[in-house]
Amino acid sequence: MSTDLYAVTVLGHDRPGIIAATTAGLAELGLNIEDSTMTLLRGHFAMMLLCRGGSDAAAIERALAPLAADGDLDVAVRPVTDAPAPAAGGSAWVLTVHGGDRSGIVSAVVAEVAAAGGNITDLTTRLAGDLYLLVAELDLPAGSDVSAVEGAIRASAERLGVTATLRPAEADEL
Amino acid sequence: MTSEQGSARVAGWSETELGVDGRVLDVVRAPDGVLSARGADVDPTAADVVQLAADLVATMRVSPGCVGLAANQVGVGVRVFCVDVTEHPKTRTRHGTFVLCNAEVVESSRNEKAREGCMSVPDLTGDVKRASRLTVRGQLPGTGETVSFATDAFEARALQHEIDHTDGFLFLDRVAGAHAIYPRQTYL
């Protein structure tokens, strides 16, 4: 099998059958879906997937063109390379930030994560009424002073009038 | 008082002991700051605490699906909450309606993950891991007796959720990860 890897993104107004149509197009080309994620953001469909196979980007775009035909979906295909696995030895954490909605919450808080050399591996934000919520999973490098990182995050959150909680990401070893 | 005696005392408690009528209060919603601040410890025999206990029970009773309510949720920053999981299908051990002041977790074990909602976060639910075996200690409003008792399953979850409220934490602070938050599908 070819080692060609492609990132496919599908964005636009939600309707039934988008995933079925997308995956059918990829299956016809013999592409294997390796990783994918999909969500609805206030009725807007958003999907990213990585697929691998012996096709080329132009052929994939042609196969998925019917999806975008009525103009309410954007489909993009781009070749990507296999990324190296992240360095091991760090620690995983779950960060929750919530409070009154205002601009700059995400940037201020994640700046503290970046300043500590931390890497955000997953992030969700929600606006529910006046409540703004951020939940992120992040890795901190081995040897990090977690208390200091947490303190910096809390201080940053307090300046914005929101609350931050940093907890270890628990994994049960079975 | 042993855990068994405490359990019997709590199970036998009802809001009629308070001797005052409860009033239905408005429930505050996040991002109200009272929900994110640890409540003050209280004197469980004080008249205002006794009235608050009755008010919490009255407010819980009129709120569909409500199995617990903390003082923070009615805008009062003190460590008092009520619980009643009697009618909930996931309940095993049940102690009926009760109110605890200054409660804390003494022992916990057997973590289980389940989806939680909250009247103060009406638009979201989340997966939260909590102990399913729990021993708590707190004081009964009115008499001020200290009781310690064990429970399990849904009542244990409800107690941890309410104790978290009194400590200034929402279930949002405990969700399992970035994909553990969901827009609420059904409003009670």
Side-chain angles (χ1 to χ4, degrees):
Chain A
M1 178 185 270
S2 162
T3 56
D4 292 338
L5 189 64
Y6 297 94
V8 177
T9 58
V10 182
L11 301 171
H13 187 71
D14 188 40
R15 59 177 160 78
I18 298 174
I19 298 174
T22 305
T23 53
L26 298 175
E28 282 173 14
L29 295 172
L31 291 158
N32 187 39
I33 297 169
E34 295 196 346
D35 279 345
S36 68
T37 185
M38 171 259 149
T39 193
L40 284 180
L41 300 173
R42 304 203 173 193
H44 296 278
F45 181 92
M47 180 167 71
M48 299 176 288
L49 55 86
L50 290 179
C51 56
R52 193 185 298 272
S55 194
D56 60 37
I60 299 171
E61 283 173 357
R62 279 196 301 277
L64 300 183
L67 267 173
D70 59 5
D72 62 359
L73 281 178
D74 288 329
V75 180
V77 180
R78 60 180 295 191
V80 292
T81 55
D82 282 300
S91 54
W93 301 82
V94 179
L95 170 66
T96 296
V97 180
H98 57 82
D101 184 32
R102 57 172 289 181
S103 61
I105 295 173
V106 178
S107 65
V109 175
V110 302
E112 300 298 343
V113 176
N119 189 40
I120 293 174
T121 56
D122 214 340
L123 180 141
T124 295
T125 67
R126 297 277 182 189
L127 176 61
D130 296 330
L131 174 66
Y132 194 82
L133 169 69
L134 174 161
V135 182
E137 295 172 42
L138 56 99
D139 293 332
L140 291 175
S144 294
D145 181 345
V146 177
S147 296
V149 176
E150 184 179 15
I153 290 171
R154 281 178 183 272
S156 178
E158 276 175 25
R159 284 193 290 275
L160 293 161
V162 297
T163 304
T165 312
L166 186 69
R167 294 171 294 114
E170 292 181 22
D172 294 323
E173 302 294 339
L174 299 171
Chain B
M1 191 181 287
T2 65
S3 178
E4 289 72 23
Q5 289 169 327
S7 186
R9 175 68 181 101
V10 171
W13 189 91
S14 86
E15 65 271 29
T16 56
E17 281 191 24
L18 297 170
V20 293
D21 290 331
R23 304 162 301 187
V24 174
L25 305 177
D26 291 334
V27 174
V28 302
R29 295 179 176 189
D32 195 310
V34 72
L35 296 167
S36 296
R38 181 180 160 89
D41 286 346
V42 295
D43 172 359
T45 65
D48 59 339
V49 173
V50 171
Q51 181 64 57
L52 173 64
D55 295 347
L56 288 172
V57 173
T59 306
M60 174 174 70
R61 292 240 190 274
V62 301
S63 305
C66 182
V67 295
L69 193 65
N72 316 50
Q73 293 182 274
V74 295
V76 184
V78 296
R79 300 186 61 232
V80 181
F81 65 81
C82 67
V83 161
D84 186 350
V85 299
T86 305
E87 302 298 326
H88 198 281
K90 290 182 182 172
T91 297
R92 286 207 289 268
T93 300
R94 49 175 60 82
H95 289 87
T97 305
F98 59 92
V99 177
L100 288 180
C101 304
N102 309 321
E104 57 189 1
V105 173
V106 177
E107 257 181 50
S108 60
S109 63
R110 299 202 187 185
N111 282 340
E112 290 178 4
K113 194 190 290 182
R115 196 163 295 188
E116 291 185 16
C118 177
M119 285 177 73
S120 294
V121 188
D123 299 322
L124 300 170
T125 61
D127 292 333
V128 182
K129 201 166 158 185
R130 305 222 191 243
S132 61
R133 296 285 176 92
L134 192 75
T135 301
V136 297
R137 180 170 52 226
Q139 293 167 290
L140 295 174
T143 64
E145 299 159 85
T146 296
V147 288
S148 174
F149 62 98
T151 188
D152 57 24
F154 191 69
E155 193 174 65
R157 177 168 294 271
L159 278 162
Q160 290 166 90
H161 181 110
E162 300 309 328
I163 290 172
D164 264 358
H165 270 306
T166 65
D167 286 338
F169 294 110
L170 297 170
F171 77 86
L172 302 174
D173 295 299
R174 306 278 188 220
V175 290
H179 289 287
I181 289 281
Y182 311 91
R184 187 184 280 277
Q185 304 290 329
T186 308
Y187 291 87
L188 293 169

